[in-house]
Amino acid sequence: MLTREELPVCPVATTVQVIGSKWKLLILRNLLERPWRFNELKKDLEGISQKVLTDSLRSMEADGIIDRTVYAEVPPRVEYALNELGDTLRPILDAMAAWGEDYRKIAP
């Protein structure tokens, strides 16, 4: 997680820095529904590489918007879920989804 001094001055740029990649947005879309395991995300997000998924999840965990839970089982089970801060992104993603639906209706 970046310190306040390291974050962009512009609040829009800060938001884009935290959630602005294509893959982060799609991961967040999934995590809005429920917790997901790594391989579930990998299968659902067609075209994402293991490295990009790993890097994106680590980045979002470091930014404090998702939690990674490791269960003491054999084999180990790891789940990723939005935490309280991450859930505050819900209105942003809902607005993006609504805009996308409207745009699809009028797109040339």
Side-chain angles (χ1 to χ4, degrees), residues 44-100:
D44 192 70
L45 300 172
E46 189 174 320
I48 193 169
S49 70
Q50 184 165 332
K51 180 183 181 345
V52 170
L53 180 55
T54 298
D55 290 348
S56 297
L57 290 168
R58 285 181 181 163
S59 173
M60 293 190 305
E61 184 181 9
D63 287 335
I65 60 174
I66 67 170
D67 290 331
R68 178 180 185 266
T69 305
V70 180
Y71 295 92
E73 300 174 353
V74 177
R77 178 171 53 110
V78 178
E79 285 186 344
Y80 296 90
L82 285 181
N83 57 27
E84 191 174 336
L85 178 60
D87 198 55
T88 64
L89 294 166
R90 187 177 299 274
I92 295 169
L93 282 119
D94 287 345
M96 290 176 75
W99 188 90

Side-chain angles (χ1 to χ4, degrees), residues 2 12 16 23-24 37 40 42 49 51 66 69 79 83:
L2 297 175
V12 173
V16 169
W23 294 116
K24 285 183 181 180
R37 295 175 71 173
E40 289 180 308
K42 176 98 173 62
S49 70
K51 180 183 181 345
I66 67 170
T69 305
E79 285 186 344
N83 57 27

